[in-house]
Amino acid sequence: MTSSVYSILLTTTLLAILLPHPTTTTTTTTSNIDRNGYILYCPCMGRLGNQVDHLLGSLAFAKKLNRTLVLPPFIAYNYHSDNNYVAYGDWFDIGALLRYHRVIPMREFMEELAPSIWPPGERVVYCHQGAAGRSEDGKSCPAKVGSPFGPFWDNFSIDFDRFKFFQLSFHQNAAMWEATFPTRENFVMAFMGAMASYPVQEEHRQIQAFLEWSQPIQQRRDDFIERRLKRGPYLAIHLRNGMDWKRACEHVLRSNGVHYNFMSSPQCIGYRSKRTFTHAMCIPSEKMIENDVLSLVQKQNISSLFVATDNNPMVEQFRRLFDENGLDVEVVEMSGARSAVELDLAVMIAADEFIGTCASSISAFVVRKRLTMGKSNHFFGMDVVEQRHTIRHAEM
């Protein structure tokens, strides 16, 4: 494979010298090929929040290896039909991400570059040695076995011709990766999954600063805030109270709290903290939620409450709570369009105050971005008054 890539680089460089003023071109040129190579991966672990955690780590990995990251689409799971694939540029500004490192959307890579530098017949997938146990024969790479793996690669008409196993960690330095997989023989590296961890590594959280909304999302956000939240300061909250979340938190209850990273819990208890992550932090009671919201509403003179959730927005409970306490606070949700997670996120990030669910990767998305903007964050199941200062000044 790689010899053909370098032949293209050499040939197009000579053509550029011989034909210095071409009028049009329909072929791959050296100007749009990254001589340092490319990294692809399947964002096949979890829903949007988890996929963003993996994106941040993958960006850091690509930057360390000095390769261009091929941006995969986000996988929007549909359990009643085929999954949907949302191109990064539909929701986020690619130009802003380029300020951190070189990237190219996956569709653009496959249509414009892959036919020349990664053609069918020369496509290798890279799998961790441990993945072999999931294959039928116990010794091959199951890169396309099951969903979402198979459908993701099929969405781009990608079949792998062979595989290479590795035992290196994404933590290891670029020199070790280059020694094991020299760029000349491994120009395009397609990984079975993200070369990153969940939850995101602490040192990679600041990369969230380069995730900026696309203009259409900004416009939708601003229109929604103007129509529904223009009365004054608003508090946004993120509730996880669906059945799948309750089941996940049962483990914390049975264990009487845990002392390790439980999903995105490091965002509220710290990455190296000895603090116990409790069941109340995982899924607080409705009474605890009401008390936390009321405390912050009264303290910050909040005019509107915006609720984003995976299940029950507690709208009537909040309205009754505010009425009983003589507060004129409007309760706002997405009017049944809670599937528009991108708009939920944009509105939560823009809020004057925010209370999130400690272990949720969606809350973590909001918190990381707000930290880069100097905004305060709070979490249910913890003292929201004390949190205002300790979390606002937490280091990224």
Side-chain angles (χ1 to χ4, degrees):
M1 174 197 74
T2 314
S3 60
S4 64
V5 172
Y6 281 89
S7 295
I8 292 170
L9 290 171
L10 178 59
T11 301
T12 51
T13 299
L14 291 173
L15 286 173
I17 295 172
L18 296 172
L19 302 171
H21 301 292
T23 55
T24 61
T25 179
T26 57
T27 60
T28 302
T29 66
T30 53
S31 63
N32 56 16
I33 295 177
D34 183 353
R35 295 169 179 267
N36 297 296
Y38 295 84
I39 288 175
L40 294 81
Y41 73 94
C42 176
C44 293
M45 196 284 284
R47 289 178 283 190
L48 179 62
N50 301 49
Q51 292 176 45
V52 173
D53 274 43
H54 273 176
L55 173 62
L56 299 181
S58 297
L59 283 162
F61 180 70
K63 188 179 182 71
K64 178 170 65 176
L65 269 58
N66 195 26
R67 290 170 173 258
T68 291
L69 181 67
V70 178
L71 284 174
F74 297 108
I75 302 176
Y77 291 97
N78 188 332
Y79 298 103
H80 302 291
S81 62
D82 293 340
N83 296 332
N84 296 319
Y85 299 94
V86 181
Y88 183 89
D90 288 351
W91 285 353
F92 297 99
D93 180 6
I94 294 176
L97 196 57
L98 285 168
R99 296 200 299 269
Y100 176 75
H101 187 59
R102 304 183 305 278
V103 296
I104 181 173
M106 192 161 181
R107 184 67 63 188
E108 181 180 340
F109 174 82
M110 291 306 300
E111 292 178 355
E112 299 184 11
L113 299 184
S116 297
I117 67 171
W118 199 51
E122 300 184 2
R123 292 177 176 172
V124 180
V125 64
Y126 296 75
C127 299
H128 193 276
Q129 187 71 50
R134 294 168 47 193
S135 64
E136 288 187 5
D137 61 7
K139 56 183 180 182
S140 57
C141 174
K144 294 186 65 175
V145 174
S147 181
F149 295 93
F152 173 81
W153 296 112
D154 286 343
N155 184 58
F156 294 93
S157 300
I158 295 174
D159 287 311
F160 297 111
D161 303 291
R162 56 195 181 94
F163 60 85
K164 292 184 180 182
F165 282 128
F166 65 87
Q167 293 182 316
L168 294 174
S169 163
F170 61 86
H171 290 294
Q172 290 172 298
N173 61 43
M176 292 189 68
W177 277 94
E178 179 63 21
T180 307
F181 299 105
T183 302
R184 188 175 182 88
E185 287 81 37
N186 302 272
F187 193 68
V188 176
M189 297 185 74
F191 289 93
M192 178 179 169
M195 293 302 293
S197 68
Y198 173 74
V200 63
Q201 296 288 296
E202 185 174 20
E203 62 269 25
H204 299 156
R205 297 178 75 206
Q206 76 277 2
I207 302 173
Q208 186 88 29
F210 300 93
L211 272 65
E212 298 283 356
W213 296 113
S214 65
Q215 284 298 323
I217 299 298
Q218 290 185 47
Q219 189 61 56
R220 288 171 59 196
R221 175 200 63 197
D222 294 346
D223 289 347
F224 182 86
I225 292 173
E226 176 62 26
R227 285 186 293 104
R228 304 291 304 279
L229 296 164
K230 64 179 180 180
R231 300 177 67 202
Y234 75 92
L235 163 65
I237 65 174
H238 179 231
L239 301 177
R240 287 298 310 267
N241 50 30
M243 187 54 64
D244 63 332
W245 191 259
K246 291 178 180 178
R247 290 196 188 101
C249 292
E250 285 176 0
H251 172 74
V252 181
L253 180 63
R254 290 193 301 269
S255 303
N256 196 28
V258 297
H259 296 87
Y260 55 83
N261 293 346
F262 186 83
M263 296 189 284
S264 292
S265 65
Q267 67 173 327
C268 63
I269 64 172
Y271 276 79
R272 288 168 293 277
S273 172
K274 297 185 182 299
R275 182 171 185 174
T276 301
F277 176 70
T278 67
H279 185 255
M281 294 176 187
C282 193
I283 184 164
S285 67
E286 290 189 356
K287 185 62 177 176
M288 183 177 292
I289 291 170
E290 291 178 1
N291 288 341
D292 286 348
V293 168
L294 181 61
S295 174
L296 204 54
V297 164
Q298 292 176 324
K299 183 176 180 61
Q300 300 300 327
N301 194 28
I302 296 297
S303 299
S304 300
L305 172 67
F306 174 75
V307 184
T309 182
D310 64 332
N311 184 45
N312 177 18
M314 297 177 56
V315 170
E316 293 307 317
Q317 290 101 309
F318 287 129
R319 287 173 178 162
R320 183 169 57 252
L321 175 70
F322 297 142
D323 286 343
E324 291 173 350
N325 287 273
L327 297 170
D328 180 19
V329 178
E330 185 176 6
V331 183
V332 178
E333 58 167 334
M334 285 294 178
S335 302
R338 289 195 290 275
S339 59
V341 63
E342 71 279 12
L343 189 53
D344 272 342
L345 287 165
V347 174
M348 287 189 284
I349 290 169
D352 297 276
E353 298 288 344
F354 174 69
I355 309 178
T357 297
C358 180
S360 166
S361 59
I362 287 293
S363 287
F365 181 109
V366 176
V367 167
R368 287 191 303 264
K369 187 61 178 178
R370 288 173 61 86
L371 283 170
T372 69
M373 301 164 67
K375 290 175 174 278
S376 60
N377 300 289
H378 317 276
F379 296 97
F380 291 114
M382 304 174 73
D383 190 324
V384 298
V385 175
E386 291 182 2
Q387 287 179 65
R388 179 175 181 86
H389 300 288
T390 59
I391 295 175
R392 170 182 282 176
H393 296 110
E395 292 186 4
M396 292 297 290

